[in-house]
Amino acid sequence: MTESNRSIEQQQAAMPDWEKRFRAPRVSLPDWAEDAPHRSLFVSNATGTYELYAWDRATGEQRQVTHRANGTTDGVLSPDGEWIWWFDDKDGDEFGIWRRQRFSGEAERKGDADSADEPAVPGLEPSYPSGLAIGRDGRTAVVGRSTDDDGSTIHVARTGEAHVEIYRHRESAGVGDLSHDGSLIAIEHTEHGDAMHSALRVLRLDGSTVAELDDSKGGTVELGLEVLGFAPVDGDSRLLIGHQRRGRWEPLVWDVVSGEETDLALDLPGDVAAEWYPDGSALLIAHSFEARSDLWRYDIASRELVKVETPPGTVSGATARPDGTVEYLWSSAAEPSAVRSTTGEVVLDPPGLKSPGSVPVEDVWVEGPGGRIHALVQKPAGATTPLPTVFDIHGGPTWHDSDSFAAGPAAWVDHGYAVVRVNYRGSTGYGREWTDALKHRVGLIELEDIAAVREWAVTSGLADPDRLILTGGSWGGYLTLLGLGTQPDAWTLGIAAVPVADYVTAYHDEMEALKAMDRTLLGGTPEEVPERFSASSPLTYVDAVKSPVYISAGVNDPRCPIRQIDNYVDRLTARDAVHEVYRYDAGHGSLVVDERIKQVRLELDFANRHLQL
């Protein structure tokens, strides 16, 4: 062992477990090329920054594809396995262009790294990305994009030819998939003005329409559709889609040429998604219910549903391989994530530091004003209650906390805190009505559910009412600031990461797709429904905040822009309210491990100082 290696091992041995969880190398579920399945693409933090990696399974070689100071996670592998497309933005602002490089890394091998990454679609101006589908012919791609000026546009690009715009609309739209033979494009759009419930359209490459499907058209109930993928067979016009016709997400098969719909009607509770097996004979079913998930195989001919064995916990992604095996990314609150196979093997096991585990979650159901609320609770093993307690609120809002591994909550547990995560109204995974409930009274509805779980936590003896922290990132950060102002006596302190703080200014500065979402949630623009924006804005209640506030923000954030955060901080400063602000050079969060660790350390220090722990 070299002296350098010995020094690294000593440093790792002295490192606290919470830091090891952030530093330990992680990998995403590998994507693989449809016509070259030995070629894969994945994301890893092995160098200390999340970047894209190419993996040749035939030789075992792995190669770092991108090398950017603030990291890269958006990448697509072409079906022939020859090209890696990746999105090039500026320091996390999510506004940029697609670039591509050879899978082989040939230019880098020749010492010509500067020319390795070429613009994938020359002449296409920078934008926010809105879907990408690459054809099997090796020269065709369909690119979705959005800008404040253009709204949503979709372009067909062929190597050696000028790109052609085939779609344009002010409302949100994006590329769903390209058919196996490259003749049909499925898009999701919200031309009807409801950004939460997309309709579908299938186009030819010249932009002419083949088929339409809109489950909200002419109805009194808002229902959404989503593209899951064309059948992987030449000349097959079947499109796998998701629908909400029975109050939850379920798959069906839609023949876009004949119009025939085949409803699978799977007897599984909760939300159900699916993707094709590579030969098109079966579907890999991803089933999510009450914060856990599992996998199933559905045979299309026999309609037989067979469980694919996975450990209890959460499957964050899965893919069926050509040999019929399934690879999946799995974790639980107690066990770190791993890419596994139904063969029983671990698919990718990065070398180096291994992440410590944490404690399992306990399920709690609390009666709330809109129905039973599901909360997940973690607490230090053997700890005596009541405990200082962190309410760690998820973002989205269309997301949900699950029984999956998360380094952030585990860090709080390591420091003696109980952690409560609430799947409030607006969360996914509990049916369409639960997800759609927050419209118009945005933020306030979620906080009613959080307050109900807070009451349970205190009355059950779990939480010390004098040491309660409200925290979260993105939408969770927004709910933190709104909660500190509307429930000022309920929380001892608040920690908000990349939050919405001034809803009106946030609307005017944010990316176009989020403007559309806010119009849907609140029923219009700030000029059209000023009273709703005011009622849902943390800035309205900032003078009522009593607790110390910590805010962190990325200066390049297009989702929760910095100016609206500055407006909120200025109001805190004007009345000498106790607060701290940390700004960093990135967007909506950081892909740099050291930066993530720094932020968690600052949050823990802020909490411990103010709670005198």
Side-chain angles (χ1 to χ4, degrees):
M1 180 184 293
T2 67
E3 192 63 32
S4 174
N5 288 338
R6 184 177 293 108
S7 176
I8 291 172
E9 287 192 357
Q10 290 172 347
Q11 291 175 16
Q12 292 177 349
M15 192 182 297
D17 280 355
W18 74 265
E19 185 174 338
K20 290 179 183 176
R21 296 190 190 97
F22 284 93
R23 292 202 183 278
R26 300 182 186 182
V27 293
S28 67
L29 179 71
D31 188 16
W32 53 273
E34 186 177 359
D35 295 327
H38 63 288
R39 291 188 165 184
S40 291
L41 182 69
F42 65 92
V43 176
S44 177
N45 66 337
T47 63
T49 301
Y50 285 84
E51 296 284 7
L52 294 168
Y53 288 76
W55 175 27
D56 188 325
R57 298 181 187 226
T59 64
E61 180 185 5
Q62 295 180 7
R63 177 180 69 84
Q64 185 175 340
V65 173
T66 51
H67 305 77
R68 301 199 305 156
N70 281 320
T72 314
T73 58
D74 292 340
V76 177
L77 185 58
S78 64
D80 61 7
E82 289 297 317
W83 292 96
I84 296 168
W85 290 51
W86 60 273
F87 193 75
D88 183 14
D89 66 348
K90 183 180 179 181
D91 296 329
D93 67 359
E94 302 181 42
F95 193 84
I97 66 170
W98 286 99
R99 296 188 180 275
R100 69 174 192 168
Q101 68 168 265
R102 291 281 184 183
F103 181 90
S104 63
E106 181 179 352
E108 286 190 359
R109 294 180 198 279
K110 293 179 178 179
D112 190 13
D114 290 340
S115 66
D117 298 301
E118 63 186 36
V121 187
L124 196 58
E125 292 296 317
S127 67
Y128 298 110
S130 189
L132 171 67
I134 304 174
R136 295 174 60 236
D137 62 0
R139 63 184 299 265
T140 303
V142 184
V143 183
R145 58 192 296 277
S146 70
T147 67
D148 291 345
D149 293 334
D150 297 336
S152 300
T153 60
I154 294 175
H155 304 254
V156 173
R158 290 186 175 92
T159 303
E161 301 178 16
H163 62 84
V164 178
E165 181 183 301
I166 63 168
Y167 177 90
R168 176 181 290 260
H169 201 278
R170 283 304 313 169
E171 297 292 344
S172 297
V175 177
D177 196 21
L178 184 63
S179 63
H180 198 253
D181 61 9
S183 65
L184 301 174
I185 306 163
I187 70 169
E188 299 176 357
H189 71 83
T190 60
E191 294 174 7
H192 50 286
D194 182 355
M196 291 183 69
H197 303 94
S198 294
L200 305 183
R201 182 174 298 149
V202 178
L203 305 174
R204 300 179 184 90
L205 267 65
D206 63 4
S208 60
T209 298
V210 175
E212 301 256 14
L213 198 59
D214 185 349
D215 275 7
S216 290
K217 189 175 182 180
T220 58
V221 179
E222 298 164 326
L223 300 174
L225 297 166
E226 62 179 348
V227 174
L228 300 177
F230 276 106
V233 179
D234 274 344
D236 195 327
S237 56
R238 293 176 300 163
L239 178 64
L240 185 63
I241 67 172
H243 70 90
Q244 295 180 301
R245 296 171 184 175
R246 285 184 288 265
R248 63 190 181 114
W249 283 109
E250 300 176 74
L252 68 78
V253 177
W254 174 34
D255 189 317
V256 302
V257 173
S258 71
E260 179 184 3
E261 297 179 12
T262 303
D263 188 356
L264 306 186
L266 302 176
D267 187 21
L268 296 170
D271 285 343
V272 182
E275 69 168 51
W276 296 95
Y277 270 76
D279 63 1
S281 67
L283 300 176
L284 178 61
I285 303 297
H287 168 235
S288 175
F289 183 59
E290 296 183 351
R292 276 90 180 170
S293 54
D294 50 29
L295 300 174
W296 301 73
R297 185 185 188 278
Y298 177 81
D299 187 276
I300 291 177
S302 68
R303 301 180 72 90
E304 182 182 18
L305 185 67
V306 177
K307 190 167 187 179
V308 176
E309 292 301 327
T310 59
T314 295
V315 176
S316 302
T319 182
R321 294 278 295 167
D323 62 1
T325 61
V326 174
E327 295 177 353
Y328 58 95
L329 181 64
W330 174 91
S331 71
S332 70
E335 295 186 56
S337 62
V339 179
R340 302 187 177 194
S341 169
T342 50
T343 62
E345 299 176 347
V346 174
V347 177
L348 277 176
D349 186 16
L353 182 67
K354 301 301 180 185
S355 173
S358 187
V359 297
V361 295
E362 301 173 20
D363 295 86
V364 173
W365 292 88
V366 177
E367 290 297 331
R372 295 174 72 229
I373 308 160
H374 190 194
L376 302 174
V377 178
Q378 290 174 277
K379 56 188 178 183
T384 301
T385 57
L387 293 166
T389 299
V390 175
F391 274 69
D392 188 1
I393 309 304
H394 72 72
T398 50
W399 190 251
H400 67 270
D401 280 316
S402 63
D403 182 9
S404 58
F405 196 76
W412 287 110
V413 172
D414 284 359
H415 286 78
Y417 293 85
V419 177
V420 179
R421 291 180 284 169
V422 182
N423 284 330
Y424 49 74
R425 279 173 289 170
S427 303
T428 55
Y430 299 86
R432 178 188 55 78
E433 290 185 3
W434 191 261
T435 301
D436 291 353
L438 59 79
K439 282 189 175 181
H440 298 174
R441 294 185 61 246
V442 174
L444 305 174
I445 285 178
E446 300 97 295
L447 286 169
E448 289 176 354
D449 291 350
I450 293 168
V453 178
R454 177 201 178 279
E455 179 66 16
W456 164 83
V458 171
T459 58
S460 70
L462 170 70
D464 180 345
D466 295 323
R467 295 185 293 173
L468 285 175
I469 299 173
L470 186 60
T471 187
S474 189
W475 197 264
Y478 158 64
L479 292 176
T480 294
L481 297 185
L482 189 63
L484 295 178
T486 60
Q487 303 168 352
D489 296 319
W491 308 103
T492 313
L493 59 88
I495 299 173
V498 291
V500 173
D502 169 2
Y503 216 140
V504 173
T505 302
Y507 175 87
H508 289 300
D509 290 359
E510 68 194 3
M511 58 201 300
E512 184 59 35
L514 293 185
K515 286 187 173 74
M517 178 62 75
D518 284 336
R519 290 194 297 271
T520 295
L521 289 173
L522 291 157
T525 68
E527 291 71 33
E528 293 166 341
V529 287
E531 71 289 347
R532 289 179 183 168
F533 273 84
S534 177
S536 293
S537 179
L539 188 66
T540 301
Y541 312 97
V542 64
D543 291 338
V545 173
K546 299 178 180 179
S547 304
V549 186
Y550 175 89
I551 299 173
S552 62
V555 297
N556 306 313
D557 192 344
R559 298 173 179 269
C560 299
I562 194 67
R563 185 167 71 103
Q564 52 94 27
I565 293 174
D566 289 341
N567 292 345
Y568 186 90
V569 171
D570 287 346
R571 289 280 295 274
L572 290 174
T573 302
R575 64 185 190 89
D576 294 326
V578 178
H579 70 283
E580 295 178 19
V581 182
Y582 173 66
R583 297 174 178 85
Y584 55 95
D585 185 21
H588 200 59
S590 177
L591 299 176
V592 179
V593 172
D594 281 343
E595 177 61 39
R596 290 187 175 190
I597 290 170
K598 180 181 180 180
Q599 292 178 25
V600 172
R601 185 175 283 116
L602 288 170
E603 292 174 1
L604 289 166
D605 176 69
F606 181 82
N608 292 340
R609 279 189 285 114
H610 287 281
L611 296 185
Q612 298 181 343
L613 296 181

PDB file of all heavy atoms in Angstrom, residues 480-500:
ATOM      1  N   THR A 480     -41.455  25.667   3.543  1.00  0.00           N
ATOM      2  CA  THR A 480     -40.786  26.062   4.783  1.00  0.00           C
ATOM      3  C   THR A 480     -40.987  27.544   5.059  1.00  0.00           C
ATOM      4  O   THR A 480     -41.413  27.942   6.159  1.00  0.00           O
ATOM      5  CB  THR A 480     -39.287  25.734   4.705  1.00  0.00           C
ATOM      6  OG1 THR A 480     -39.126  24.310   4.641  1.00  0.00           O
ATOM      7  CG2 THR A 480     -38.542  26.279   5.915  1.00  0.00           C
ATOM      8  N   LEU A 481     -40.692  28.392   4.090  1.00  0.00           N
ATOM      9  CA  LEU A 481     -40.851  29.833   4.299  1.00  0.00           C
ATOM     10  C   LEU A 481     -42.313  30.214   4.494  1.00  0.00           C
ATOM     11  O   LEU A 481     -42.640  31.057   5.349  1.00  0.00           O
ATOM     12  CB  LEU A 481     -40.264  30.604   3.115  1.00  0.00           C
ATOM     13  CG  LEU A 481     -38.761  30.460   2.881  1.00  0.00           C
ATOM     14  CD1 LEU A 481     -38.319  31.371   1.744  1.00  0.00           C
ATOM     15  CD2 LEU A 481     -37.970  30.768   4.151  1.00  0.00           C
ATOM     16  N   LEU A 482     -43.202  29.599   3.735  1.00  0.00           N
ATOM     17  CA  LEU A 482     -44.631  29.893   3.899  1.00  0.00           C
ATOM     18  C   LEU A 482     -45.120  29.435   5.267  1.00  0.00           C
ATOM     19  O   LEU A 482     -45.905  30.118   5.923  1.00  0.00           O
ATOM     20  CB  LEU A 482     -45.428  29.204   2.785  1.00  0.00           C
ATOM     21  CG  LEU A 482     -46.908  29.572   2.680  1.00  0.00           C
ATOM     22  CD1 LEU A 482     -47.085  31.058   2.343  1.00  0.00           C
ATOM     23  CD2 LEU A 482     -47.609  28.705   1.627  1.00  0.00           C
ATOM     24  N   GLY A 483     -44.626  28.281   5.726  1.00  0.00           N
ATOM     25  CA  GLY A 483     -45.025  27.781   7.042  1.00  0.00           C
ATOM     26  C   GLY A 483     -44.523  28.642   8.175  1.00  0.00           C
ATOM     27  O   GLY A 483     -45.232  28.858   9.171  1.00  0.00           O
ATOM     28  N   LEU A 484     -43.306  29.173   8.057  1.00  0.00           N
ATOM     29  CA  LEU A 484     -42.774  30.048   9.109  1.00  0.00           C
ATOM     30  C   LEU A 484     -43.601  31.317   9.243  1.00  0.00           C
ATOM     31  O   LEU A 484     -43.698  31.884  10.339  1.00  0.00           O
ATOM     32  CB  LEU A 484     -41.325  30.405   8.807  1.00  0.00           C
ATOM     33  CG  LEU A 484     -40.302  29.268   8.830  1.00  0.00           C
ATOM     34  CD1 LEU A 484     -38.924  29.793   8.471  1.00  0.00           C
ATOM     35  CD2 LEU A 484     -40.274  28.577  10.190  1.00  0.00           C
ATOM     36  N   GLY A 485     -44.208  31.764   8.123  1.00  0.00           N
ATOM     37  CA  GLY A 485     -45.005  32.978   8.173  1.00  0.00           C
ATOM     38  C   GLY A 485     -46.459  32.762   8.539  1.00  0.00           C
ATOM     39  O   GLY A 485     -47.062  33.589   9.230  1.00  0.00           O
ATOM     40  N   THR A 486     -47.036  31.633   8.113  1.00  0.00           N
ATOM     41  CA  THR A 486     -48.450  31.378   8.391  1.00  0.00           C
ATOM     42  C   THR A 486     -48.665  30.565   9.661  1.00  0.00           C
ATOM     43  O   THR A 486     -49.778  30.549  10.197  1.00  0.00           O
ATOM     44  CB  THR A 486     -49.101  30.639   7.208  1.00  0.00           C
ATOM     45  OG1 THR A 486     -48.429  29.387   6.993  1.00  0.00           O
ATOM     46  CG2 THR A 486     -49.037  31.473   5.938  1.00  0.00           C
ATOM     47  N   GLN A 487     -47.618  29.882  10.133  1.00  0.00           N
ATOM     48  CA  GLN A 487     -47.696  29.101  11.376  1.00  0.00           C
ATOM     49  C   GLN A 487     -46.522  29.509  12.277  1.00  0.00           C
ATOM     50  O   GLN A 487     -45.700  28.673  12.670  1.00  0.00           O
ATOM     51  CB  GLN A 487     -47.638  27.597  11.058  1.00  0.00           C
ATOM     52  CG  GLN A 487     -48.711  27.103  10.110  1.00  0.00           C
ATOM     53  CD  GLN A 487     -48.434  25.685   9.592  1.00  0.00           C
ATOM     54  OE1 GLN A 487     -47.370  25.113   9.811  1.00  0.00           O
ATOM     55  NE2 GLN A 487     -49.411  25.118   8.897  1.00  0.00           N
ATOM     56  N   PRO A 488     -46.406  30.774  12.616  1.00  0.00           N
ATOM     57  CA  PRO A 488     -45.179  31.270  13.271  1.00  0.00           C
ATOM     58  C   PRO A 488     -44.915  30.680  14.645  1.00  0.00           C
ATOM     59  O   PRO A 488     -43.769  30.668  15.096  1.00  0.00           O
ATOM     60  CB  PRO A 488     -45.409  32.778  13.353  1.00  0.00           C
ATOM     61  CG  PRO A 488     -46.897  32.946  13.284  1.00  0.00           C
ATOM     62  CD  PRO A 488     -47.386  31.851  12.393  1.00  0.00           C
ATOM     63  N   ASP A 489     -45.950  30.194  15.321  1.00  0.00           N
ATOM     64  CA  ASP A 489     -45.756  29.635  16.662  1.00  0.00           C
ATOM     65  C   ASP A 489     -45.507  28.130  16.643  1.00  0.00           C
ATOM     66  O   ASP A 489     -45.282  27.529  17.697  1.00  0.00           O
ATOM     67  CB  ASP A 489     -46.985  29.933  17.532  1.00  0.00           C
ATOM     68  CG  ASP A 489     -47.173  31.427  17.757  1.00  0.00           C
ATOM     69  OD1 ASP A 489     -46.164  32.115  17.982  1.00  0.00           O
ATOM     70  OD2 ASP A 489     -48.333  31.892  17.689  1.00  0.00           O
ATOM     71  N   ALA A 490     -45.543  27.530  15.447  1.00  0.00           N
ATOM     72  CA  ALA A 490     -45.448  26.073  15.356  1.00  0.00           C
ATOM     73  C   ALA A 490     -44.018  25.577  15.218  1.00  0.00           C
ATOM     74  O   ALA A 490     -43.723  24.424  15.530  1.00  0.00           O
ATOM     75  CB  ALA A 490     -46.278  25.568  14.171  1.00  0.00           C
ATOM     76  N   TRP A 491     -43.091  26.466  14.768  1.00  0.00           N
ATOM     77  CA  TRP A 491     -41.762  26.003  14.395  1.00  0.00           C
ATOM     78  C   TRP A 491     -40.688  26.789  15.128  1.00  0.00           C
ATOM     79  O   TRP A 491     -40.752  28.005  15.241  1.00  0.00           O
ATOM     80  CB  TRP A 491     -41.578  26.138  12.888  1.00  0.00           C
ATOM     81  CG  TRP A 491     -42.692  25.479  12.135  1.00  0.00           C
ATOM     82  CD1 TRP A 491     -43.747  26.095  11.517  1.00  0.00           C
ATOM     83  CD2 TRP A 491     -42.906  24.068  11.988  1.00  0.00           C
ATOM     84  NE1 TRP A 491     -44.591  25.167  10.966  1.00  0.00           N
ATOM     85  CE2 TRP A 491     -44.097  23.901  11.246  1.00  0.00           C
ATOM     86  CE3 TRP A 491     -42.199  22.932  12.396  1.00  0.00           C
ATOM     87  CZ2 TRP A 491     -44.600  22.649  10.903  1.00  0.00           C
ATOM     88  CZ3 TRP A 491     -42.706  21.684  12.061  1.00  0.00           C
ATOM     89  CH2 TRP A 491     -43.883  21.553  11.330  1.00  0.00           C
ATOM     90  N   THR A 492     -39.677  26.075  15.592  1.00  0.00           N
ATOM     91  CA  THR A 492     -38.583  26.702  16.331  1.00  0.00           C
ATOM     92  C   THR A 492     -37.600  27.393  15.394  1.00  0.00           C
ATOM     93  O   THR A 492     -37.040  28.435  15.727  1.00  0.00           O
ATOM     94  CB  THR A 492     -37.841  25.645  17.170  1.00  0.00           C
ATOM     95  OG1 THR A 492     -38.794  24.834  17.875  1.00  0.00           O
ATOM     96  CG2 THR A 492     -36.916  26.313  18.177  1.00  0.00           C
ATOM     97  N   LEU A 493     -37.383  26.807  14.239  1.00  0.00           N
ATOM     98  CA  LEU A 493     -36.549  27.448  13.219  1.00  0.00           C
ATOM     99  C   LEU A 493     -36.849  26.821  11.874  1.00  0.00           C
ATOM    100  O   LEU A 493     -37.481  25.754  11.776  1.00  0.00           O
ATOM    101  CB  LEU A 493     -35.059  27.365  13.557  1.00  0.00           C
ATOM    102  CG  LEU A 493     -34.382  26.005  13.735  1.00  0.00           C
ATOM    103  CD1 LEU A 493     -33.861  25.479  12.394  1.00  0.00           C
ATOM    104  CD2 LEU A 493     -33.212  26.116  14.700  1.00  0.00           C
ATOM    105  N   GLY A 494     -36.392  27.507  10.808  1.00  0.00           N
ATOM    106  CA  GLY A 494     -36.621  27.018   9.459  1.00  0.00           C
ATOM    107  C   GLY A 494     -35.354  27.033   8.630  1.00  0.00           C
ATOM    108  O   GLY A 494     -34.510  27.922   8.775  1.00  0.00           O
ATOM    109  N   ILE A 495     -35.223  26.023   7.759  1.00  0.00           N
ATOM    110  CA  ILE A 495     -34.076  25.909   6.861  1.00  0.00           C
ATOM    111  C   ILE A 495     -34.624  25.652   5.463  1.00  0.00           C
ATOM    112  O   ILE A 495     -35.200  24.592   5.194  1.00  0.00           O
ATOM    113  CB  ILE A 495     -33.138  24.776   7.296  1.00  0.00           C
ATOM    114  CG1 ILE A 495     -32.589  25.035   8.699  1.00  0.00           C
ATOM    115  CG2 ILE A 495     -32.001  24.606   6.291  1.00  0.00           C
ATOM    116  CD1 ILE A 495     -31.780  23.882   9.271  1.00  0.00           C
ATOM    117  N   ALA A 496     -34.471  26.630   4.578  1.00  0.00           N
ATOM    118  CA  ALA A 496     -35.057  26.554   3.241  1.00  0.00           C
ATOM    119  C   ALA A 496     -33.963  26.556   2.187  1.00  0.00           C
ATOM    120  O   ALA A 496     -33.150  27.484   2.131  1.00  0.00           O
ATOM    121  CB  ALA A 496     -36.011  27.719   3.011  1.00  0.00           C
ATOM    122  N   ALA A 497     -33.940  25.520   1.348  1.00  0.00           N
ATOM    123  CA  ALA A 497     -32.972  25.446   0.251  1.00  0.00           C
ATOM    124  C   ALA A 497     -33.683  25.725  -1.067  1.00  0.00           C
ATOM    125  O   ALA A 497     -34.785  25.226  -1.308  1.00  0.00           O
ATOM    126  CB  ALA A 497     -32.318  24.065   0.216  1.00  0.00           C
ATOM    127  N   VAL A 498     -33.058  26.531  -1.896  1.00  0.00           N
ATOM    128  CA  VAL A 498     -33.575  26.940  -3.213  1.00  0.00           C
ATOM    129  C   VAL A 498     -35.103  27.097  -3.212  1.00  0.00           C
ATOM    130  O   VAL A 498     -35.807  26.442  -3.963  1.00  0.00           O
ATOM    131  CB  VAL A 498     -33.109  25.975  -4.326  1.00  0.00           C
ATOM    132  CG1 VAL A 498     -31.617  26.107  -4.554  1.00  0.00           C
ATOM    133  CG2 VAL A 498     -33.445  24.516  -4.019  1.00  0.00           C
ATOM    134  N   PRO A 499     -35.637  28.008  -2.384  1.00  0.00           N
ATOM    135  CA  PRO A 499     -37.083  28.120  -2.236  1.00  0.00           C
ATOM    136  C   PRO A 499     -37.711  29.147  -3.184  1.00  0.00           C
ATOM    137  O   PRO A 499     -37.037  30.029  -3.721  1.00  0.00           O
ATOM    138  CB  PRO A 499     -37.219  28.613  -0.798  1.00  0.00           C
ATOM    139  CG  PRO A 499     -36.029  29.523  -0.632  1.00  0.00           C
ATOM    140  CD  PRO A 499     -34.917  28.876  -1.434  1.00  0.00           C
ATOM    141  N   VAL A 500     -39.030  29.035  -3.347  1.00  0.00           N
ATOM    142  CA  VAL A 500     -39.837  30.169  -3.795  1.00  0.00           C
ATOM    143  C   VAL A 500     -40.092  31.014  -2.553  1.00  0.00           C
ATOM    144  O   VAL A 500     -40.582  30.512  -1.543  1.00  0.00           O
ATOM    145  CB  VAL A 500     -41.171  29.715  -4.409  1.00  0.00           C
ATOM    146  CG1 VAL A 500     -42.063  30.920  -4.705  1.00  0.00           C
ATOM    147  CG2 VAL A 500     -40.935  28.914  -5.676  1.00  0.00           C
TER     148      VAL A 500
END
